[in-house]
Amino acid sequence: MSVQKSWGELQTMARACRIVVDTLDALEAAAEPGVTTKEMDRIAREHIEKAGARPAFLGYRGYPATLCISVNEEVVHGIPGPRKLRDGDIVGLDLGCIVEGFFGDAARTVAVGQASPEAKRLMAATRESLFAGIDACRPGKRVGDIGHAVQTRAEGYGYSVVREFVGHGIGTSLHEEPQVPNYGPPGRRERLVPGMCLAIEPMVNVGQPEVEVLADGWTAVTRDRSLSAHF
């Protein structure tokens, strides 16, 4: 069960999350054709450290960067490198930071230049799925209600939700209990209580839900190589 946070702890987490959102804003502005994913990682790290925080992902379980940056058919955990962003790409930006021992964590998917109508529709559906999950976060409801809301919204567009990666509790650890799947029946799993903090993370595919991890041991891609978005 997720640790219930005090008011003061919630304020510290809010500062961490504000830094994450500000960093995502800077990255979205920088996501132009020709920019490398490694340059995006540099921007992320500098922004977090300038704000007085520490990157949460750098070194986590051996992860080599500040930013997870996943392009097109990449679902999550893409490693920054020499790849240049191209017009029409959609790019998942996932990062976290630490403030006074508490974690903030968020993701969004952005378009580079002019995205296709399908890509725009996928991003809109995934973002809506996130907010459907957030709307289900009320005391007395259950974790299963969140996943049901996400799944219902995404599948209403004809898309599929990834099963292998899920949301999670967050606090003094990046990943705390409970796990928060983006699917499943309502009314199941842990009961939601005031002071719980959850990272709800819909990952939605145009095609089938199955994913596979590439040889680098991190980058997860859609098995059918269809587009994927993450919010």
Side-chain angles (χ1 to χ4, degrees), residues 14-25:
R15 295 207 305 276
C17 291
R18 182 74 256 169
I19 293 167
V20 170
V21 170
D22 289 345
T23 305
L24 288 171
D25 288 345

Side-chain angles (χ1 to χ4, degrees), residues 191-226:
R191 190 173 296 279
L192 303 179
V193 297
M196 289 175 71
C197 288
L198 305 175
I200 303 169
E201 299 198 46
M203 300 173 201
V204 178
N205 301 343
V206 167
Q208 297 302 305
E210 293 81 16
V211 305
E212 61 187 30
V213 177
L214 300 182
D216 63 17
W218 285 100
T219 308
V221 300
T222 53
R223 188 172 296 169
D224 61 10
R225 299 306 190 264
S226 63

Side-chain angles (χ1 to χ4, degrees), residues 1-154:
M1 177 57 66
S2 174
V3 177
Q4 292 171 254
K5 312 302 190 294
S6 70
W7 179 247
E9 290 169 337
L10 289 170
Q11 297 312 294
T12 303
M13 290 190 70
R15 295 207 305 276
C17 291
R18 182 74 256 169
I19 293 167
V20 170
V21 170
D22 289 345
T23 305
L24 288 171
D25 288 345
L27 290 167
E28 183 169 359
E32 298 284 350
V35 175
T36 66
T37 56
K38 189 172 186 64
E39 173 69 6
M40 295 284 282
D41 182 67
R42 183 192 63 78
I43 293 168
R45 183 168 183 175
E46 287 184 358
H47 209 90
I48 288 170
E49 291 180 345
K50 186 176 180 181
R54 289 191 293 122
F57 294 1
L58 183 63
Y60 182 77
R61 296 180 180 171
Y63 188 73
T66 293
L67 175 68
C68 292
I69 183 165
S70 306
V71 183
N72 296 332
E73 76 280 1
E74 295 173 353
V75 177
V76 71
H77 301 155
I79 299 174
R83 179 177 185 169
K84 291 183 178 180
L85 301 180
R86 299 185 302 178
D87 186 68
D89 284 343
I90 61 170
V91 185
L93 306 168
D94 185 8
L95 67 110
C97 78
I98 310 167
V99 172
E100 295 178 17
F102 285 88
F103 285 75
D105 177 22
R108 74 175 67 153
T109 300
V110 304
V112 180
Q114 189 61 40
S116 69
E118 179 75 286
K120 290 179 181 178
R121 185 171 183 267
L122 172 67
M123 289 189 292
T126 310
R127 189 174 186 275
E128 287 179 23
S129 298
L130 169 63
F131 282 98
I134 291 171
D135 284 343
C137 279
R138 302 182 189 280
K141 302 271 272 184
R142 291 187 178 272
V143 168
D145 297 318
I146 299 171
H148 180 72
V150 169
Q151 181 179 14
T152 300
R153 184 61 59 91

